[in-house]
Amino acid sequence: MGRIIGIDLGTTNSLAAVWQDGESCPIPNSLGEYLTPSVVSIDEEGTVYVGKIAKERLISHPEQTASVFKRFMGTGKTYLLGGKTYRPEELSALVLRKLKEDAERYLGEPVEEAVISVPAYFNDMARKATKDAGALAGLHVERIINEPSAAALACRGWRNSGWQQENDETLLVFDFGGGTLDVSLVDCFENVIEIAAVSGDNHLGGSDFDQIIAEQFCKEHQLEFGKLDRKRREIILAGAARAKCALTKEEHTVMSAADRDFWETMELSNRKLVQISMPLFHKMTAPVKSVLNDAQRKMLEISKVVLVGGSCKMPTVQQYLRRFLPDSQMTAMNPDYMVALGVGVYAGIKERNEEIKDMLLTDICPFTLGTGLHNEMDAARPIMAAIIDRNSVLPCSKVQKFQTAADFQNTVRVDVYQGEEYYVTDNVYLGEVNVPVPMSLKGQEKITVRYTYDINGILIVDVKVDSTGEETQQIIMTGRDTIAPEEIDAYVKALEKLKMPPAEQEENQMLFAWGERLYAQSTGQLREEISRKLQYLQYLINKEQNPYRMKKWKKGLREFFESADRYLDMTELSWEQESGDSWYQERTEEEQDAEEDYVRWYDGHLTS
Ligand code: ADP
Ligand code: MG
């Protein structure tokens, strides 16, 4: 069997990693370097160049060379290189093929499978395109993981023995690459890694600094950047990027740009860089504020700021971040490798254990999935009823009940839409399920609709007619292309499990049995509290799809039961006479959060 490698397929640079001797290791390319520029050049003869050589050809043969194509994955955009057109997934496939070949040379073994990371905001089509690129490169890609999750994995560290850190933490992943800034809030709890919120700036990256330095260079030499020919612009930009990187090690440097009849220099320092690029620094704060707002978190709740991406190596960037992320511990270990190393960890786990039962990496659904509701005011414009909300943690399975909208209606149509608009006609239609219902008066017949959805873009719609118990199932692909039928079968099987995860079920049963016994043994306040907690557990099992919150709350419940057991063992005092303090243990802040959700539920429960 061939090896499985992890790949960070970056916009600017790509890197593969593999699990070796108990850790994730970056794989050097044929030049002995770790980063392979994500640049492809194809000449008239059809010779393909990938990586550093192609990056050089960006200057010498711009019409045969493409870069930054990751941005357009899954869109219709094409590139014309050496007289032929290529889709972004074909160009990505060439990069992947190079990484595969380099890995095979390095490992001395065939590589058949890869886990590839993508930005958290990538939609289904872009994810599907990434898988297609893998297939074109001869790689089986079963799993796509989010870049911030990968960074969190690398940061938390994984050894053969299992998770190093058992503690609960919230990471702020600040991924500042060549063309984009992606900021994510990642919650880690035991073996669960969950993205709580993502934000970013699609037009802010290292190349913006290159551009500003290049423009400053032109200004000092009475040139107008925009009026130079493409080749000269590329030469100046390359000089600017080199100078910028030199400033990582030194405070001062001299930028130079030379062509046949042209040779100019400019002095550059970190101080000067800050002066000329202040607007870029200011733009870095907005996404940080936005993730904190979206997730309703405070800066204080962040346990670690993880710096990822080449641009985070800039001392000026690190200093600027320290000004507004003061209390957090900043981790700037290997920003270039962080994502790849994390994907390598995942590949390692996958190699040893097909089921990956040791770990739960969650994704979020970037859009809402729902169905159309009859609109009394305007029958032609049904209203969107959300079943799976945007930003729900995936995979997930959610249920809602609906009723007939007209007298003597004999079928119900559940149409499936994707999008955020109020009227379904403004959203994307994905398909429909029609089910017969017994004829009766409006509102008499009820149906239960379940949507089960995963990151692979497979949506299972189950419709059950409550009165007859009849069930209808339909599988809907939310991506653009269809997936091979054998593959669908496997996904559907995996999703079926999700509707009733067995391990989870066993744990729930254990908690119920434990709680019921305690209930029987106790009296008064303690007994009431146990009853409420069991009800809430039932509520969570029915409604809560967020594995992270579920796990966190259940951990608290176990501790509660343990202390109740201790209390019941220890004392003959009756619960009524004793204040709660005698057995109650102080909770950590994180446990309090999970508890807060419970209190909120309980308050709502009382009033309804
Ligand atoms: P991506 O995720 O977009 O593929 P990377 O994380 O590889 O990108 O980051 C690439 C960017 O990092 C480029 O703009 C590059 O100029 C910048 N970069 C790399 N090394 C350094 C350095 N030492 N100092 C400053 N910028 C750097
Ligand atoms: Mg990157």
Side-chain angles (χ1 to χ4, degrees), residues 291-515:
V291 285
L292 291 171
N293 274 342
D294 280 4
Q296 300 185 3
R297 306 289 176 86
K298 291 184 221 62
M299 206 69 94
L300 276 176
E301 295 174 48
I302 297 189
S303 6
K304 241 183 230 157
V305 176
V306 187
L307 302 186
V308 177
S311 301
C312 273
K313 291 195 289 187
M314 294 170 69
T316 47
V317 167
Q318 292 191 16
Q319 263 191 37
Y320 186 76
L321 290 179
R322 283 214 169 81
R323 291 181 45 199
F324 69 99
L325 298 172
D327 293 316
S328 310
Q329 188 190 337
M330 231 178 251
T331 309
M333 262 166 22
N334 289 329
D336 280 332
Y337 303 168
M338 217 58 180
V339 170
L341 290 177
V343 196
V345 169
Y346 199 89
I349 295 170
K350 202 160 185 303
E351 257 183 350
R352 289 180 304 126
N353 176 359
E354 277 293 323
E355 298 287 319
I356 324 177
K357 60 173 178 275
D358 298 341
M359 201 176 55
L360 201 58
L361 275 176
T362 65
D363 286 286
I364 42 186
C365 181
F367 40 69
T368 300
L369 290 165
T371 186
L373 276 190
H374 175 68
N375 180 358
E376 300 266 335
M377 313 301 283
D378 181 356
R381 302 187 80 194
I383 294 162
M384 179 84 168
I387 296 182
I388 294 181
D389 274 321
R390 168 185 78 216
N391 276 338
S392 292
V393 173
L394 296 181
C396 77
S397 181
K398 296 217 175 154
V399 177
Q400 271 206 26
K401 282 194 182 287
F402 298 95
Q403 58 192 31
T404 47
D407 289 342
F408 310 118
Q409 183 175 341
N410 62 5
T411 54
V412 176
R413 191 178 76 227
V414 177
D415 33 19
V416 182
Y417 288 92
Q418 165 183 318
E420 312 309 320
E421 303 303 325
Y422 182 66
Y423 295 110
V424 293
T425 40
D426 299 328
N427 290 324
V428 182
Y429 170 82
L430 296 174
E432 61 188 53
V433 185
N434 289 288
V435 294
V437 289
M439 280 206 275
S440 63
L441 293 176
K442 168 181 170 179
Q444 292 281 310
E445 282 299 321
K446 298 197 169 41
I447 56 165
T448 306
V449 178
R450 179 189 278 275
Y451 279 16
T452 307
Y453 187 64
D454 74 351
I455 42 157
N456 300 304
I458 299 199
L459 173 67
I460 303 178
V461 179
D462 289 293
V463 182
K464 183 174 158 202
V465 180
D466 290 3
S467 65
T468 61
E470 200 174 316
E471 290 181 46
T472 314
Q473 187 180 78
Q474 176 103 21
I475 292 154
I476 289 168
M477 309 292 306
T478 62
R480 177 192 43 174
D481 297 329
T482 49
I483 300 180
E486 327 71 90
E487 260 189 286
I488 295 182
D489 280 353
Y491 289 136
V492 169
K493 280 210 190 80
L495 283 182
E496 288 293 340
K497 268 194 246 157
L498 169 78
K499 291 184 196 168
M500 200 56 83
E504 190 99 320
Q505 211 184 7
E506 209 181 307
E507 189 192 9
N508 295 341
Q509 282 165 356
M510 182 277 291
L511 288 170
F512 275 116
W514 190 352

Side-chain angles (χ1 to χ4, degrees), residues 10-13 176-179 206-207 210 244-245 248 309-311 313-314:
T11 312
T12 321
N13 295 302
F176 201 11
S207 57
D210 304 346
K244 175 189 73 175
C245 292
T248 310
S311 301
K313 291 195 289 187
M314 294 170 69

